[in-house]
Amino acid sequence: LTWVVVQIDNGSPEEALMRPGERVQWKSSDRFTLTLGNAGGVRVELNGKEQGPFGPSGKVARDIVLKRS
């Protein structure tokens, strides 16, 4: 399992526990701020373009900001 926290625009942070192979899709009007409990174990895409990597497996990555183009 990988722990993920996402803040969409200026909303409240949402937490999710993701299983291997699980996909989640969020929509925003401006940006996402992410915290990843296993930075190397998560693949992140923004508008179909892969982002990252944000660190090695087992490493926590905090305050990752992804902005819409």
Side-chain angles (χ1 to χ4, degrees), residues 28-43:
S28 83
S29 55
D30 180 44
R31 68 180 176 179
F32 300 96
T33 305
L34 303 174
T35 296
L36 306 174
N38 178 6
V42 176
R43 196 175 111 212

Side-chain angles (χ1 to χ4, degrees), residues 23-63:
R23 296 179 68 139
V24 178
Q25 186 173 20
W26 290 288
K27 294 185 180 188
S28 83
S29 55
D30 180 44
R31 68 180 176 179
F32 300 96
T33 305
L34 303 174
T35 296
L36 306 174
N38 178 6
V42 176
R43 196 175 111 212
V44 177
E45 289 184 8
L46 180 65
N47 298 328
K49 294 181 183 173
E50 189 151 349
Q51 308 293 304
F54 299 109
S57 290
K59 173 92 171 137
V60 176
R62 300 182 190 279
D63 301 323

